[in-house]
Amino acid sequence: MGALDGLLVVAIEQAVAAPMCTVRLADAGARVIKIERDGGETARNYDSAVKGTSAYFAWLNRGKESAVLNLKDPADLTVLRAMLQKADVFVQNLVPGAMSRMGLSPEELERDFPQLIAVSILGYGQDTPYADMRAYDMLVQAESGLCAVTGTADTPVKIGVSAADIATGMNAHAAVLEALIQREKTGRGQHIEISMFDGIADWMAVPLLHYEHGGKVTGRYGLSHASIYPYRPFECSDGAIIVAVQNNAEWKRLCEGVVEAPELLERSEFQTNADRVTNRDTLDAELEPKFASLEVSVAVERLEAAGVAFGRYTELTDLPDHPALRRTSVSLPCGETVTMPRPAGRSQEFSTRPVPGLGAHTETIRKEFG
């Protein structure tokens, strides 16, 4: 039995951000009705990689019901309003202004459905000059400065997964849970605006603070950390290992127990983390030959014995067999079952409901709410 059993969630959603929020609600037991247009929402058609189902759709839509409605049709709009009359949560990520054209602006939702927690997922704050800007994941990564601190000195890059969308969905999920707690106290719902840009700007707080208060522009260092050092990969004689040293105690253990160079502890340019960051090139010249003389297995043995954190670089082709990967089974519209990563915080007993076929629940939902 899930913590959100008995809650009704209505979603007019597409792509990643809103579905990320509502799949977490569905995982917790909420009934999630996903309203789709004829032909299905955007993510259904990204690919057919998972036994005929889009990988994005398979990932983010388990446990939901799918109803195809034409919200420009007054009859179908009436069905939607009947749902909202009974719903606890309404999540939508349509373009700005779309809900107002249906007579469902934030003010109208608050007036007509006072119990409702209504979440609008948007690209940018509606009180900013960017209010009407179209916002996709990579565009928000670029606008927020995230790409400026990601990549190499020569080439800025975006993060390789939908970071802005995922962050937004997780922010929306947290906001819904807070609003449910608040409703228990007040008896009233509320409208919540979740901006993609706000979420990534929050992630950019450390580089922004370094710049505004220290005058330092965070550089791009590839797999090396910009402000903690040494926190980077080192090439051993037969492969690479990523080493993370975050404080002076770990630095001491690295020098004495791993690279066996205690004399580095006496060097004035390596005394603090800030010193090591400033003199990273000098430090690299000392550490790189020492790791190059070790086999990976020897480096791992020494790092473990010294209590210094490390990781291995995992190719995507290695991830399916990673010893730490925990999975959950999901049924697809075709009737077959696949496994995917188990959501964080879920136990081994966690089970999912199926990914819906397009419009699989349209008629039953029309009968229920029509």
Side-chain angles (χ1 to χ4, degrees):
M1 187 171 183
L4 300 184
D5 280 359
L7 261 68
L8 175 59
V9 178
V10 177
I12 307 176
E13 59 180 17
Q14 57 187 337
V16 174
M20 167 62 78
C21 170
T22 57
V23 77
R24 293 291 185 256
L25 300 174
D27 284 346
R31 181 188 180 190
V32 178
I33 299 175
K34 181 184 182 79
I35 297 173
E36 300 189 67
R37 60 180 175 269
D38 188 28
E41 66 111 318
T42 305
R44 277 195 187 269
N45 304 306
Y46 281 158
D47 57 63
S48 56
V50 188
K51 301 182 185 296
T53 298
S54 157
Y56 281 93
F57 198 86
W59 172 40
L60 293 174
N61 290 281
R62 59 183 177 268
K64 303 178 185 179
E65 300 172 30
S66 169
V68 173
L69 298 180
N70 175 9
L71 296 179
K72 294 180 180 179
D73 181 331
D76 279 358
L77 188 56
T78 298
V79 173
L80 171 62
R81 294 185 68 89
M83 288 188 215
L84 297 181
Q85 197 68 52
K86 297 181 178 181
D88 298 283
V89 179
F90 175 46
V91 179
Q92 63 87 16
N93 64 340
L94 300 178
V95 297
M99 295 306 301
S100 295
R101 290 191 290 273
M102 296 181 206
L104 294 171
S105 67
E107 296 76 19
E108 290 164 318
L109 288 170
E110 183 177 1
R111 180 195 68 202
D112 297 341
F113 313 104
Q115 88 294 347
L116 191 65
I117 295 163
V119 180
S120 296
I121 292 177
L122 301 155
Y124 299 90
Q126 293 301 283
D127 58 351
T128 76
Y130 270 50
D132 294 327
M133 280 278 286
R134 287 190 172 273
Y136 301 127
D137 180 83
M138 187 172 73
L139 304 181
V140 174
Q141 288 196 39
E143 284 276 358
S144 65
L146 186 60
C147 297
V149 298
T150 308
T152 66
D154 296 328
T155 308
V157 302
K158 78 175 190 70
I159 294 175
V161 295
S162 303
D165 283 328
I166 294 168
T168 302
M170 290 182 168
N171 287 338
H173 174 242
V176 166
L177 299 183
E178 289 183 16
L180 287 168
I181 294 170
Q182 182 70 12
R183 193 179 68 173
E184 285 293 309
K185 299 175 181 178
T186 66
R188 292 189 63 85
Q190 59 182 282
H191 177 258
I192 304 168
E193 177 191 291
I194 302 289
S195 155
M196 293 173 67
F197 184 86
D198 287 351
I200 299 302
D202 185 26
W203 284 15
M204 287 293 294
V206 169
L208 182 61
L209 291 169
H210 274 301
Y211 172 64
E212 289 190 328
H213 297 278
K216 180 182 178 182
V217 175
T218 299
R220 295 186 299 272
Y221 296 97
L223 275 176
S224 299
H225 202 287
S227 55
I228 304 172
Y229 220 71
Y231 193 159
R232 52 153 291 185
F234 288 98
E235 287 291 334
C236 296
S237 63
D238 58 346
I241 193 80
I242 301 172
V243 177
V245 171
Q246 299 205 66
N247 55 55
N248 277 1
E250 291 176 353
W251 168 239
K252 183 174 187 293
R253 297 201 297 272
L254 179 80
C255 292
E256 293 178 343
V258 181
V259 298
E260 298 179 340
E263 67 275 9
L264 295 178
L265 297 171
E266 307 303 320
R267 298 273 294 269
S268 60
E269 62 264 53
F270 305 147
Q271 289 300 299
T272 67
N273 177 66
D275 293 332
R276 294 189 288 272
V277 169
T278 299
N279 299 293
R280 64 172 65 218
D281 291 341
T282 304
L283 181 53
D284 288 346
E286 295 289 346
L287 294 180
E288 286 174 355
K290 299 185 186 304
F291 276 99
S293 69
L294 303 176
E295 294 180 352
V296 169
S297 60
V298 174
V300 166
E301 183 179 340
R302 291 186 182 182
L303 288 161
E304 288 179 333
V308 176
F310 68 93
R312 300 172 179 84
Y313 174 77
T314 297
E315 293 282 359
L316 184 58
T317 51
D318 300 324
L319 182 58
D321 299 314
H322 197 289
L325 180 63
R326 300 191 284 193
R327 295 175 177 263
T328 190
S329 296
V330 179
S331 296
L332 300 174
C334 65
E336 295 195 53
T337 298
V338 296
T339 65
M340 59 184 66
R342 187 200 311 168
R346 298 295 176 187
S347 69
Q348 188 173 354
E349 289 71 36
F350 171 69
S351 61
T352 65
R353 292 169 287 173
V355 176
L358 176 61
H361 306 88
T362 304
E363 292 311 311
T364 58
I365 286 170
R366 283 187 191 280
K367 288 178 183 176
E368 181 178 354
F369 296 100

